[in-house]
Amino acid sequence: MTTTKRKMRSSEWFGKAGKDGFHRRSWMKNQGLPDHLFDGRPVIGICNTWSELTPCNAHFRVLAERVKRGVYEMGGFPLEFPVMSLGETLMRPTTMMFRNLASMDVEESIRANPLDGVVLLVGCDKTTPSLVMGAASCDLPTVVVSGGPMLNGRWRGEEIGSGTHVWKFDAMVKTGEMSLDDLADAEACMSRSVGHCMTMGTASTMASMMEALGIGLPSNAAIPAADSRRNALAHVAGRRIVEMVREDLRLSKILTRAAFENAIRANGAIGGSTNAIVHLLAIAGRIGVDLTLDDWDRLGREVPCLVNLMPSGAHLMEDFYYAGGLPVVLRELGENGLLHRDAPTVSGRTIWENVEGATCYNRDVIHGFSAPFKAHGGIRVLHGNLAASGAVIKPSAATPALMIHRGPAVVFEDIDDYKARIDDPDLDIDADSVMVLKNCGPKGYPGFPEVGNMALPAKLLKAGVTDMVRISDARMSGTAYGTVVLHAAPEAAVGGTLALVRSGDMIELDVAAGRLHLDVTEDELARRRAAWRAPEAPAPRGYAWLHHQHVMQADVGADFDFLRGASGAPIPRESH
């Protein structure tokens, strides 16, 4: 074991003589810990989001034990601690409402405790950004270990993808192509192992972002949760975090401007979730990197989509791993001038050194630049009077024929209005209409839910309509698809132009030109604005009140205004 001359942060807790050191070491020893663990070696916190209420992360107790093995091997002292777990499948009104709360839990847990470095165990959608946001605010050496995707769904000879087939099956039930008995039969067939969504949804996208940013080890993104190599990666992460502490390799040395640019381009190449936008903007705001919505447009717009995965394609994450995983994608970017090759990573090597030997084993899953899966995979940012601060669309999941469109608005004032009227046979709507959903942004729902991919009316589905232009201030599940404009900012709940749209107004969408326009005169908009009244706050007290008071808009990451900017991890005052 290599010893270090650098004094550890944890020594301020465990290294003191007299009363202060005595009572801390004494209490810890009630767990059967021997004297030598308090000799000044690196103390590694394992931040665990295990919860039976978060099915994606239900195997994290095993991963934590594997991390501990690696920490002990390298002469570190591992200490596991729980933080708020955000389960996308069960929490209401939306896990996004609690992302910032969980980040505060992580930040304060790290800062208040005797930790020199941290391993973040993440998986389900919001657990990844929330933990990284909290850790970034403290800026200690940190490694991210994702939980990995489920095994491919299989139902009656067909590969089915989590989330993506939920939307598909729902439409089939509405049209009579699928019975409720068939739907029930498919449940266990879709989710048949531990792990998060196996489509290129938000969980897989964010795991990929961690690898592209350099804060996850190579192959972090795609190893299936049930594969023994996921446990091996956790073991290696435990070894590596001890070395990082001794090297003082902090998050701020890795999460640079170059790292975020690499991640934005990687997101385009994998056809990643639009949710990555708000999460990376929030992480950048915590670590002090000036990242904007326009950076996403400028850097990622022309990146071709190389990965043929649902919801944009046909395959699933298990196939992606067997084909070579994200290292192959990053190598393609690096060979075509779209990767900052010298960006450092937690492996101790540069991003290029991590991937230069990557080999593709299935070009139907991971295409090359010379023959991409789709010409454009990046996120397109839209501007216009309907979204003065911007809105976004994922072209790889949209219908090409709808990328330039003009049609009359069919307005739903909120999600309850939508649910009450969408399947009304008398609803005045046709395939050329533009569906508009209001009051579902960061303040409006509250919490910025994934309701932007509004299901089409049953009468149009039965008529063979498969896609329509949909616009909202909401988010969309990364597993969903369609010509869906999201994150319109400012949102309706704060008086953005979206709040003023009325049914029958003409709306123009031109994705190539980046234009989203409401064809209503300025004088008329001024009259409507004068009559508009802000909705009431969702609650008079508690976290919902705090969220409503302090959450920022989607175009800057929907973080709390008082959390932007890192605070570091200074040694707090004594507790006694």
Side-chain angles (χ1 to χ4, degrees):
M1 181 186 74
T2 303
T3 59
T4 178
K5 296 180 180 179
R6 193 170 67 85
K7 184 179 179 181
M8 295 292 109
R9 179 177 181 271
S10 58
S11 66
E12 290 294 324
W13 280 261
F14 296 144
K16 291 185 173 182
K19 171 181 69 71
D20 292 334
F22 171 89
H23 87 268
R24 291 195 167 89
R25 291 188 299 270
S26 175
W27 277 113
M28 291 297 288
K29 286 180 178 180
N30 80 355
Q31 301 174 78
L33 300 173
D35 285 339
H36 69 270
L37 290 178
F38 304 96
D39 62 3
R41 66 187 61 206
V43 177
I44 306 301
I46 303 172
C47 184
N48 198 343
T49 51
W50 172 86
S51 171
E52 290 181 338
L53 291 169
T54 307
C56 304
N57 300 7
H59 58 300
F60 278 19
R61 284 174 164 173
V62 174
L63 284 183
E65 290 302 318
R66 299 294 177 150
V67 172
K68 289 178 184 178
R69 292 185 188 184
V71 172
Y72 278 127
E73 279 183 9
M74 297 304 290
F77 178 11
L79 292 171
E80 181 182 351
F81 64 100
V83 293
M84 185 178 189
S85 188
L86 304 179
E88 193 70 28
T89 55
L90 299 181
M91 294 185 77
R92 294 184 179 187
T94 169
T95 53
M96 185 63 184
M97 181 173 170
F98 304 105
R99 183 200 65 176
N100 299 342
L101 177 61
S103 79
M104 295 168 68
D105 185 0
V106 174
E107 175 179 349
E108 302 305 337
S109 292
I110 291 173
R111 187 178 294 118
N113 283 295
L115 304 177
D116 303 305
V118 187
V119 176
L120 308 177
L121 298 186
V122 301
C124 195
D125 295 14
K126 308 307 177 297
T127 59
T128 301
S130 63
L131 267 62
V132 176
M133 289 162 66
S137 296
C138 295
D139 195 26
L140 293 180
T142 303
V143 176
V144 173
V145 175
S146 299
M150 293 184 285
L151 299 177
N152 290 357
R154 301 287 299 181
W155 183 65
R156 299 182 182 178
E158 178 186 0
E159 281 198 341
I160 61 174
S162 46
T164 298
H165 273 79
V166 173
W167 321 125
K168 180 179 178 179
F169 288 161
D170 179 59
M172 291 172 67
V173 169
K174 284 186 176 183
T175 59
E177 300 171 76
M178 187 177 195
S179 71
L180 289 175
D181 286 342
D182 287 341
L183 185 66
D185 185 52
E187 286 180 10
C189 302
M190 188 178 74
S191 304
R192 64 187 189 92
S193 81
V194 296
H196 59 65
C197 293
M198 84 300 273
T199 49
M200 188 53 77
T202 303
S204 296
T205 297
M206 291 310 296
S208 298
M209 294 298 92
M210 298 303 100
E211 190 173 335
L213 285 168
I215 57 177
L217 291 169
S219 294
N220 174 76
I223 302 173
D227 193 307
S228 62
R229 287 167 286 191
R230 177 61 63 179
N231 290 340
L233 181 136
H235 189 139
V236 173
R239 291 175 57 89
R240 181 61 193 142
I241 187 62
V242 178
E243 295 175 328
M244 288 174 61
V245 169
R246 291 177 174 141
E247 297 163 6
D248 197 26
L249 182 56
R250 297 168 179 264
L251 270 180
S252 57
K253 297 178 181 179
I254 298 173
L255 289 179
T256 62
R257 172 80 188 191
F260 283 99
E261 293 190 358
N262 285 344
I264 290 171
R265 286 172 168 151
N267 188 75
I270 63 175
S273 169
T274 51
N275 287 316
I277 302 170
V278 290
H279 298 325
L280 262 64
L281 288 172
I283 293 168
R286 295 290 186 97
I287 204 70
V289 172
D290 183 18
L291 193 71
T292 68
L293 195 58
D294 287 338
D295 288 323
W296 275 89
D297 196 45
R298 177 177 58 84
L299 295 164
R301 181 172 60 193
E302 300 302 325
V303 175
C305 180
L306 305 181
V307 178
N308 179 10
L309 260 62
M310 299 178 196
S312 299
H315 298 290
L316 296 166
M317 286 296 289
E318 191 178 349
D319 309 307
F320 184 44
Y321 178 58
Y322 300 149
L326 194 71
V328 173
V329 176
L330 295 176
R331 180 178 176 177
E332 289 282 348
L333 291 172
E335 290 177 341
N336 289 275
L338 296 178
L339 190 76
H340 295 288
R341 295 188 179 196
D342 59 351
T345 74
V346 295
S347 73
R349 298 173 294 177
T350 66
I351 192 78
W352 181 246
E353 289 170 334
N354 283 345
V355 305
E356 61 182 330
T359 301
C360 182
Y361 301 104
N362 188 338
R363 281 298 180 190
D364 186 51
V365 177
I366 307 175
H367 292 226
F369 261 68
S370 59
F373 174 56
K374 293 187 178 182
H376 301 290
I379 304 299
R380 189 68 171 100
V381 177
L382 308 171
H383 289 283
N385 67 349
L386 197 47
S389 299
V392 302
I393 189 170
K394 181 178 175 180
S396 65
T399 300
L402 292 174
M403 302 290 265
I404 298 179
H405 185 78
R406 176 181 167 87
V410 176
V411 174
F412 303 98
E413 292 296 328
D414 55 29
I415 193 63
D416 298 318
D417 183 30
Y418 164 79
K419 290 180 177 180
R421 295 195 294 127
I422 188 60
D423 289 326
D424 184 344
D426 296 326
L427 181 66
D428 185 11
I429 190 169
D430 60 30
D432 292 327
S433 300
V434 175
M435 296 169 63
V436 176
L437 176 62
K438 303 179 183 180
N439 293 303
C440 292
K443 290 182 184 289
Y445 197 83
F448 207 9
E450 293 183 340
V451 296
N453 56 311
M454 295 167 270
L456 305 190
K459 68 179 182 180
L460 295 186
L461 289 169
K462 291 174 182 177
V465 178
T466 58
D467 195 10
M468 293 172 64
V469 174
R470 288 157 274 180
I471 299 171
S472 75
D473 47 13
R475 295 181 302 116
M476 176 174 79
S477 169
T479 66
Y481 48 86
T483 309
V484 184
V485 176
L486 305 156
H487 309 182
E491 64 176 300
V494 299
T497 305
L498 190 71
L500 311 180
V501 182
R502 295 177 180 174
S503 290
D505 291 345
M506 296 302 293
I507 293 177
E508 299 173 6
L509 170 68
D510 187 336
V511 175
R515 185 168 185 263
L516 183 64
H517 179 71
L518 176 65
D519 193 4
V520 174
T521 66
E522 287 301 316
D523 286 345
E524 175 60 20
L525 288 178
R527 283 191 289 272
R528 295 182 188 182
R529 187 167 283 110
W532 177 81
R533 297 292 179 267
E536 293 183 5
R541 61 170 297 281
Y543 179 70
W545 178 89
L546 177 72
H547 182 281
H548 187 265
Q549 293 297 312
H550 292 284
V551 71
M552 297 187 293
Q553 290 295 290
D555 62 299
V556 290
D559 200 359
F560 288 162
D561 50 17
F562 60 85
L563 290 178
R564 285 173 69 87
S567 300
I571 309 299
R573 288 174 172 169
E574 286 287 356
S575 58
H576 291 80

